Amino acid sequence: MDVVAEDTHQNAKPGKDKKGSFWRELPVLIVVALVLALLIKSFVVQAFYIPSESMENTLLKNDRVLVNKLVYRVRDIERGDVVVFSGVDSWAGEAEFAPPANPIAGFFRWVGTAFGVVPGEKDYIKRVIGVPGDKVKCCDAKGRITVNGVPLDEESYLYPGDVPSLGNFEIDVAPGRLWVMGDHRSVSLDSRAHGGDPGGGAIPIDQVIGRAFVKVWPFDRAGILPIPETFGQKGLVAAAASSDAVPLLLGFAGVFPLWALRRRIRVKR
């Protein structure tokens, strides 16, 4: 039986084929990477560039943080959280940026924002001081901010040399809103500077993008952003719990007479 050998000779060199294939696939890989970045940025985690000095020394200008966009789907926003929120059609920017000169520049700005390389034009980062139902006031006899009558010890995060607030204020945080302040109080254009806006300076909760939970750049300053201990005071939590319970108790108080009246009518019948 004759054996016919196959001609395995190839005209093209394998190395050139692989190299050509890579360059053909590169545009597809770039598109896939951008789509994945968009999905992650939109729903899970987004890098955020710090554009101003308003959160010093917790966060310095040009720092990068990661923002968790899922956390508030499983828990409420808490006092002491550092949050990123949108100020579109609301707050004026602390740092102004020229609009993109053309669509191509706009695309690259979008990419830079997605990866935290450039700041968002209308995004802000502040610390939550008061949540819905809180009474936030400044200042007590010792110059401290109080929440529901409980003074905050802000020394651990307040900018060295700053006082809690140069001006006095008192606000009842409305439902669906948050009272937010920067850690560098003397330069931060926070809720105190927006008293003439709807909500008296308190921001809408539905404008919150997520919680900044870790610093990632520069590497020598990387670390988590915990909630300061002062926001875990038992008196503060108890005050909030009791204020939240009032509507519930009033609800039960209103239902009981109606229930008794209904039983009485049924007995008569």
Side-chain angles (χ1 to χ4, degrees), residues 172-201:
D172 294 316
V173 184
R177 291 187 174 268
L178 303 168
W179 184 264
V180 296
M181 302 176 74
D183 290 353
H184 194 172
R185 299 287 164 78
S186 60
V187 302
S188 178
L189 299 177
D190 49 41
S191 287
R192 297 167 298 164
H194 295 272
D197 292 345

Side-chain angles (χ1 to χ4, degrees), residues 14 74 83 180 195 216 219:
V74 297
V83 297
V180 296
V216 294
F219 292 135

